Amino acid sequence: MLIGANDLGAMSPEQRRVYDQIASGPRKDVPLPFLAMLDAPHLADSIQAVGSAIRFSGALADDLREVAILAAAAAFGSGYEWGYHERIAKSMGMRDDWLAACRTGKVSGLDDSNVAAIVETCWTAIKERRVPPERLAHLAQSLGRGAASEVVAISGYYPLLALFLSAGELDSAI
């Protein structure tokens, strides 16, 4: 591991405090991206707090949040994030056509315009580094401005996690 910490016994007190805080929170464990961040415990603490807000107290419905996360993971190419959240999505009963759209960025044939707009927003934000105004307008109109803002945040947050995974040699491509 070029960066990060995974040996509890070798962690500094501050690393261990942040590790324990994450483990005792709503995630109930310390996923790999946060281990990769622990050389900078203040960043790990702040970054995980953003993720916690996205995952556990956001405006997006759970299934639509997972659509955004999966689309962001796939668009960035993070095998770890894809696998982690695919398990969550499948446990929620996510439809196979939604999963396929998230994985490929192809939304033709989807019968849910919100899912299509989320997938296209995430893929375009990551691949083209822009947020399509027509998709964002659709999301703001149909889901609310808060949920639309969360889709934008997810499009930036999950690539950040994937970069830490890559730097820590903890990720694989999908």
Side-chain angles (χ1 to χ4, degrees):
M1 231 177 149
L2 295 174
I3 62 169
N6 60 4
D7 179 354
L8 294 177
M11 287 183 188
S12 71
E14 183 63 6
Q15 287 173 317
R16 185 58 194 248
R17 182 192 68 75
V18 171
Y19 177 94
D20 290 343
Q21 179 181 321
I22 296 169
S24 65
R27 290 180 184 88
K28 308 289 188 230
D29 68 351
V30 182
L32 290 180
F34 304 111
L35 291 177
M37 295 175 198
L38 278 175
D39 283 329
H42 66 292
L43 289 179
D45 189 28
S46 296
I47 293 168
Q48 75 80 26
V50 171
S52 184
I54 288 170
R55 286 206 43 221
F56 304 109
S57 62
L60 273 170
D62 291 346
D63 59 343
L64 297 179
R65 181 195 64 244
E66 291 303 320
V67 164
I69 293 169
L70 286 168
F76 196 81
S78 177
Y80 174 85
E81 288 299 341
W82 176 268
Y84 190 94
H85 285 277
E86 182 183 36
R87 286 186 294 280
I88 294 169
K90 285 183 174 181
S91 75
M92 298 167 74
M94 186 173 289
R95 295 171 26 181
D96 288 340
D97 61 333
W98 289 17
L99 286 168
C102 291
R103 189 175 190 107
T104 64
K106 310 262 187 277
V107 298
S108 62
L110 285 182
D111 61 2
D112 188 305
S113 64
N114 290 331
V115 171
I118 290 169
V119 169
E120 287 185 331
T121 299
C122 292
W123 271 82
T124 304
I126 292 165
K127 294 296 191 181
E128 298 178 21
R129 295 174 310 280
R130 67 178 191 85
V131 176
E134 66 282 359
R135 293 291 168 222
L136 193 59
H138 170 86
L139 292 173
Q141 174 76 31
S142 62
L143 301 175
R145 291 168 64 108
S149 294
E150 288 175 20
V151 171
V152 174
I154 288 167
S155 296
Y157 180 77
Y158 281 87
L160 172 64
L161 297 183
L163 284 172
F164 271 100
L165 287 164
S166 175
E169 299 178 331
L170 298 168
D171 204 359
S172 61
I174 56 171

